[in-house]
Amino acid sequence: MTDITFASLHEKLNFLLADHGVQDFDESELDLESVSSLHAKANALCSAHGGNPSRMPNETLAQLHPKLDFLLKGHRVDFDAPDLELETLAAVDAKVSAIIDAHEDGPNR
């Protein structure tokens, strides 16, 4: 099993951004080893799906989950993992991977 890192999550989120046609996302000002960088990309994805993430908190890994849940629902993915520890990169990765799996040409296929 590969280690889950900020870099691996950004690779997956970048795939999703590209697949959703978000071509104007600029990560040059982001600290890619920060939770805020994950939130920035999740916000862009939620906006691409018609959501309004601007009113949602952006400080912790746990606060990413409502955004990821919105994206899971938008992709019609049933995701049930009550044992996930929401403050972990592994939990974020599990949901991002499930979203990618909903894409026919995703890197997990």
Side-chain angles (χ1 to χ4, degrees), residues 31-103:
D31 173 3
L32 296 179
E33 291 291 319
S34 70
V35 173
S36 64
S37 65
L38 299 176
H39 276 283
K41 290 183 179 183
N43 289 349
L45 287 167
C46 286
S47 293
H49 264 267
N52 183 4
S54 66
R55 297 181 182 177
M56 300 174 89
N58 290 303
E59 291 94 31
T60 68
L61 286 174
Q63 292 169 338
L64 267 170
H65 290 279
K67 297 171 187 181
L68 297 174
D69 292 341
F70 172 80
L71 294 169
L72 286 163
K73 183 177 179 181
H75 285 87
R76 295 183 180 99
V77 175
D78 290 326
F79 187 90
D80 186 29
D83 295 337
L84 282 180
E85 294 180 33
L86 298 183
E87 279 292 338
T88 65
L89 290 178
V92 174
D93 183 70
K95 288 185 177 182
V96 171
S97 294
I99 295 164
I100 286 175
D101 286 343
H103 290 252

Side-chain angles (χ1 to χ4, degrees), residues 4-14 32-33 38 89:
I4 299 165
T5 64
F6 281 98
S8 66
L9 285 169
H10 281 295
E11 183 178 330
K12 291 177 181 185
L13 290 168
N14 288 342
L32 296 179
E33 291 291 319
L38 299 176
L89 290 178

